[in-house]
Structure formats: structure tokens, C-alpha cells
Amino acid sequence: MTGLTLYYHPLSSFCMKVLIALYENDTPFTPHMVDLMDETQHAEFLKIWPVGKFPVLRDEARNRIIPETSVIIAHLDRHFRGAVQLIPDDADVASEMHVKDRVFDNYVNLNVQRVVFGRLRPEGHRDPYGVEQASTHLRATLDMIERDIAGRTWAMGDTFTMADCAAAPALFYADKIIPLKSGHPGIAGYLDRLKRRPSFSRVLDEAKPYL
């Protein structure tokens, strides 16, 4: 065993991103699901990571608690690298990949969350302007990705990277609020390829009981 423990929830898009990276290389780890609605579990998780956001990776061998998806995957790629290299060695290529990773996390994923959470707020606490603004930003980002993904199998071309780990859950949830096939056929095809990837297919299967 690697001595890795992942604190996560299977429905969290950011947790899905890290799970894909782990499954890509069959990296052994102990999954520790955290239900933040359970006061006891939440309190125990706060002892591990006081910020209270997951996923968080514990690396027993190095005595480290590692938060933030991209940092976690960089740690895995550095210390537990398998057949699939998720971060390119070439600095310029890696820089481009990191930009795409940030786009999927910050401009797709977070805007999807703002729209969903904004709609779920109780009456009197909603922010219609904020939801409209997030939707506008999301559509503009999807338009940009649609142009960028043309002629590519994966985000960086023929090679699967951390950017694809970020893209899969972000686009999966984006498709629920802005159906991709109608206005973004290139992204829709890309999402279909991601869904057929064994790592993401496994992640989605594990999330089904909680959807």
C-alpha cells in the first residue's frame, strides 16, 4: 500500500477530478467518504483540514496533508507516477496544460456551482444577478473551449493529462444546465470520449447511488 487516504465525496466534481487521476494509474489508496451534512463526520474532517473543503489527500509516508486538486495530482504525478503521465515534463507544454486545468476548474466548474447553488437558495436569499452573471461567464467559456477542442482528442491533443481530469466532471455537470449538444457539439463529443475513459466511467458508476 502507498499509505494514501483520500477524504472525499463521490458527488463532488473536484473529488471526481482527483479520483480520475488515481484510477488512471491504479494508484492504491484508502477512500474515506465524508458527509458534510453529518455533524460528527464534519467535525472530524475539520480536525484534518480546518478549511473544511475536500478533496484532501493524506500521505502517511511523508506525513503530509495535501489539499487542492491540482496540488494533489501534482503530488501523485511526482511521487506515484504510473503509465499515464498527467503533467508534461516540457515546461512550456506543462504551462499550457495548467492554463486549461485552471479554465475547467475556475471558469467552468465554479460557475456551474454558482448557478446550481444560486437556484437552490431559499426564497429571499437568492441572487438572480449572480446566477445570470455566472451563466454568462459559463457560456463564454464554453464558446472558447469549443473553438479550442476542435481537432483534438483530449484537451492537450493526443495525450491525456490533468486538464482532462479537470474537464470531465466540470463538463459533466455543465451539461446538466446548458445541454452541450445543442450549441457546443465539439465539447459534447469530447465529453462522450471522457465518459468512455475507464477512469471517469468508474467515477460516474460510483457516484450513481448518490445522484
Side-chain angles (χ1 to χ4, degrees):
M1 292 294 290
T2 58
L4 297 176
T5 300
L6 182 71
Y7 297 86
Y8 80 112
H9 192 282
L11 284 185
S12 162
S13 53
F14 287 112
C15 293
M16 288 181 174
K17 174 182 172 180
V18 172
L19 285 169
I20 292 168
L22 287 162
Y23 293 158
E24 277 293 319
N25 284 309
D26 294 320
T27 306
F29 73 101
T30 300
H32 188 111
M33 192 174 80
V34 180
D35 182 357
L36 295 181
M37 301 303 292
D38 183 298
E39 291 185 5
T40 301
Q41 291 186 33
H42 195 182
E44 289 299 316
F45 181 56
L46 289 175
K47 294 177 184 177
I48 296 165
W49 182 236
V51 174
K53 293 186 176 182
F54 43 45
V56 170
L57 184 74
R58 183 198 291 273
D59 185 340
E60 295 286 354
R62 292 169 179 80
N63 193 29
R64 287 190 61 191
I65 296 293
I66 306 155
E68 299 299 326
T69 58
S70 298
V71 179
I72 291 172
I73 293 175
H75 182 83
L76 294 172
D77 197 65
R78 184 179 306 113
H79 298 293
F80 304 93
R81 180 174 290 184
V84 181
Q85 185 175 342
L86 297 171
I87 300 178
D89 286 328
D90 182 281
D92 290 334
V93 177
S95 178
E96 181 186 352
M97 187 278 301
H98 282 297
V99 170
K100 294 179 186 296
D101 172 68
R102 297 294 78 219
V103 166
F104 286 116
D105 275 1
N106 293 332
Y107 304 146
V108 178
N109 215 344
L110 289 183
N111 278 320
V112 168
Q113 290 185 359
R114 290 184 183 110
V115 171
V116 172
F117 294 153
R119 292 174 178 173
L120 291 176
R121 285 179 178 175
E123 197 69 43
H125 295 275
R126 293 176 181 171
D127 179 15
Y129 176 75
V131 170
E132 181 183 357
Q133 190 176 46
S135 297
T136 299
H137 290 166
L138 176 58
R139 290 182 185 278
T141 303
L142 291 175
D143 289 344
M144 179 181 69
I145 296 170
E146 178 72 13
R147 294 189 295 270
D148 186 64
I149 202 66
R152 297 176 182 233
T153 302
W154 307 114
M156 292 297 294
D158 295 330
T159 304
F160 191 93
T161 67
M162 179 169 69
D164 300 293
C165 297
L171 296 176
F172 174 76
Y173 282 118
D175 189 42
K176 305 298 182 186
I177 57 176
I178 301 178
L180 296 173
K181 288 185 178 179
S182 59
H184 302 90
I187 301 178
Y190 174 43
L191 178 58
D192 285 341
R193 291 191 294 279
L194 289 166
K195 287 180 178 178
R196 293 195 299 270
R197 187 89 177 181
S199 58
F200 190 39
S201 177
R202 178 177 175 182
V203 166
L204 292 178
D205 284 342
E206 291 174 350
K208 280 180 182 178
Y210 304 95
L211 284 171

